[in-house]
């Protein structure tokens, strides 16, 4: 007996679905190039000031100031922003979502401390390695996305290749213990940053505005870094100064643009695919910066090879899983079942 036409199972995802995913991946690759730009600015700022911690405060401060100028004049965003502390006290959403800005603080702090010694490409790939590992865990647990993403063979291969890319790019530093020690900083930042877009996205939904979410993100990071710096000043281990070069204040705005784009894209791609797609943009941008700007870093053959491997990782991870599962573990239909899910049902 022939099944009705509506129940025919298709072997391939619909063309429209595949094209949509490909377009969002392209956007993520382009957004990924903002990371190396921010790292270069904050790295130079840390070297110029002689204090990577102070550089991170300047970076967060410039981003926070810009966002306050944007949201405070509008009544709706101002009220939503001022309401967030009360919602934190009431536990409206899980409290870790409110502190996603700490992830960005760790990354920006490590930029100011380590980019000058490591170079942008090495820093970014160590960061990426941590993000991929975190992305695998977050997608599997359904953190920040409507449904849990199955650990398909393609996702695992993509994650492994991303780590291989990181090892290749970092390999020239294997005989330099000091550089390897500094690599721990961006790696730890990557482990934390895997769930940062999810936290920002949840705050954005709560406040009804991603602009409010981004402002809150910068506020939390700025307060954390500033309190720590005041303690250092009180103990005589730091002094305050500001850079006199205008472009050294661009780290915050670049980070702002990156956070905003990633928070928007995460619900379309999922955390793992988001991390792997941005890998291409981050590595290509890092190589260009290290190659074109004097004193930023040295580009080795393995650096370029690592970038190519990362591009392959992104492409492989684009292959969709056969199914996803909701919070109860129930199987959800996907395009492989012949039914195209809505954007609320799957994220990649």
């Amino acid at each position: 007996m022939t099944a009705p036409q509506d129940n025919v199972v298709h072997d391939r995802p619909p063309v429209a679905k595949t094209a949509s995913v490909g377009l969002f991946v392209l956007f993520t690759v382009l957004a990924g190039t903002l990371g190396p730009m921010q790292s270069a600015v904050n790295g130079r700022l840390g070297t110029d000031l002689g204090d990577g911690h102070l550089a991170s405060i300047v970076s967060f401060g410039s981003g926070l100031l810009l966002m306050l100028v944007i949201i405070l004049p509008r009544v709706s965003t101002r009220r939503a922003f001022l309401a967030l502390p009360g919602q934190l006290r009431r536990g409206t959403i899980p409290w870790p979502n409110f502190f996603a800005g700490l992830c960005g603080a760790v990354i920006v702090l490590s930029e100011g401390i380590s980019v000058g010694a490591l170079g942008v490409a090495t820093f970014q790939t160590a960061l990426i390695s941590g993000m991929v590992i975190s992305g695998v865990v977050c997608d599997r647990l359904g953190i920040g996305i409507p449904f849990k993403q199955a650990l398909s063979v393609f996702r695992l291969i993509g994650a492994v290749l991303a780590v291989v890319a990181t090892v290749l790019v970092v390999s020239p530093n294997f005989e330099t213990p000091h550089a390897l020690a500094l690599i721990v900083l961006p790696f730890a930042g990557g482990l934390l940053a895997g769930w940062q877009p999810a936290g920002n996205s949840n705050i954005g939904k709560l406040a009804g505005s991603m602009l409010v979410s981004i402002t809150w993100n910068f506020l939390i990071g700025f307060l954390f870094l500033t309190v720590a710096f005041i303690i250092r000043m009180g103990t005589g281990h730091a002094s305050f100064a500001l850079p006199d070069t205008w472009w050294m204040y661009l780290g915050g705005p670049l980070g702002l643009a990156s956070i905003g784009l990633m928070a928007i894209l995460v619900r379309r791609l999922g955390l793992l695919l988001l991390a792997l797609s941005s890998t291409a943009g981050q590595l290509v941008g890092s190589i260009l910066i290290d190659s074109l700007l004097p004193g930023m870093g040295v580009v080795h053959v393995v650096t370029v090879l690592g970038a190519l491997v990362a591009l392959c990782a992104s492409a492989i991870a684009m292959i969709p899983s056969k199914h996803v599962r909701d919070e109860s573990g129930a199987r959800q239909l996907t395009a492989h079942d012949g039914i195209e899910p809505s954007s609320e049902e799957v994220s990649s």
Side-chain angles (χ1 to χ4, degrees):
M1 181 176 179
T2 304
Q5 184 65 29
D6 290 342
N7 294 328
V8 174
V9 176
H10 302 281
D11 294 328
R12 296 181 300 173
V15 174
K17 176 68 175 178
T18 304
S20 175
V21 171
L23 183 61
F24 283 116
V25 167
L26 176 60
F27 287 156
T28 307
V29 170
L30 295 176
T33 62
L34 296 174
M37 295 179 192
Q38 182 188 26
S39 296
V41 170
N42 290 335
R44 284 287 181 88
L45 178 58
T47 300
D48 185 69
L49 296 177
D51 191 328
H53 187 174
L54 181 57
S56 66
I57 293 176
V58 172
S59 178
F60 258 88
S62 63
L64 175 61
L65 180 61
L66 179 58
M67 288 308 304
L68 289 175
V69 169
I70 293 174
I71 71 164
L72 290 183
R74 298 177 57 190
V75 176
S76 59
T77 51
R78 182 173 67 249
R79 287 178 177 174
F81 178 71
L82 296 177
L84 287 177
Q87 291 169 331
L88 170 60
R89 290 193 299 269
R90 292 190 295 271
T92 306
I93 60 175
W95 66 266
N97 290 279
F98 289 93
F99 295 96
L102 295 180
C103 302
V106 172
I107 294 173
V108 174
L109 178 61
S110 62
E111 285 174 343
I113 294 174
S114 63
V115 166
L118 297 176
V120 179
T122 301
F123 176 91
Q124 286 292 322
T125 48
L127 176 67
I128 288 166
S129 181
M131 289 183 67
V132 168
I133 294 173
S134 181
V136 171
V137 175
C138 289
D139 271 1
R140 181 63 185 89
L141 298 178
I143 299 175
I145 54 178
F147 297 105
K148 299 177 182 179
Q149 300 291 312
L151 290 180
S152 67
V153 173
F154 297 116
R155 285 179 176 268
L156 291 176
I157 291 176
V160 170
L161 286 178
V163 175
V164 170
T166 300
V167 173
L168 285 172
V169 179
V170 173
S171 61
N173 296 289
F174 283 164
E175 297 180 358
T176 310
H178 175 66
L180 289 178
L182 289 176
I183 289 172
V184 174
L185 293 175
F187 181 80
L191 290 176
L192 292 173
W195 62 271
Q196 183 184 18
N200 289 334
S201 180
N202 290 333
I203 292 294
K205 289 189 296 182
L206 176 65
S209 170
M210 284 308 304
L211 293 177
V212 172
S213 174
I214 295 170
T215 307
W216 181 262
N217 182 91
F218 272 90
L219 176 64
I220 293 298
F222 179 76
L223 290 177
F224 169 76
L225 293 168
T226 300
V227 169
F229 188 77
I230 291 174
I231 294 174
R232 287 183 60 210
M233 289 183 63
T235 58
H237 292 90
S239 59
F240 183 78
L242 290 174
D244 53 11
T245 305
W246 68 270
W247 58 265
M248 289 188 178
Y249 291 93
L250 295 180
L254 288 171
L256 187 156
S258 177
I259 291 171
L261 288 173
M262 295 304 175
I264 293 171
L265 292 167
V266 66
R267 295 192 65 81
R268 295 289 184 176
L269 298 178
L271 286 167
L272 177 59
L273 186 52
L274 182 84
L276 291 175
S277 300
S278 65
T279 295
Q282 286 176 276
L283 287 179
V284 171
S286 299
I287 291 172
L288 290 176
I289 289 173
D290 281 348
S291 300
L292 300 177
L293 297 182
M296 290 307 305
V298 179
V299 178
H300 301 274
V301 174
V302 289
T303 306
V304 179
L305 180 60
L308 293 175
V309 173
L311 287 172
C312 293
S314 298
I316 292 174
M318 283 179 60
I319 301 173
S321 302
K322 289 186 176 181
H323 61 274
V324 295
R325 295 184 181 277
D326 62 18
E327 295 181 356
S328 66
R331 185 174 183 273
Q332 302 296 314
L333 294 175
T334 70
H336 288 276
D337 298 300
I339 301 176
E340 183 178 359
S342 68
S343 60
E344 295 299 320
E345 291 176 326
V346 295
S347 61
S348 64

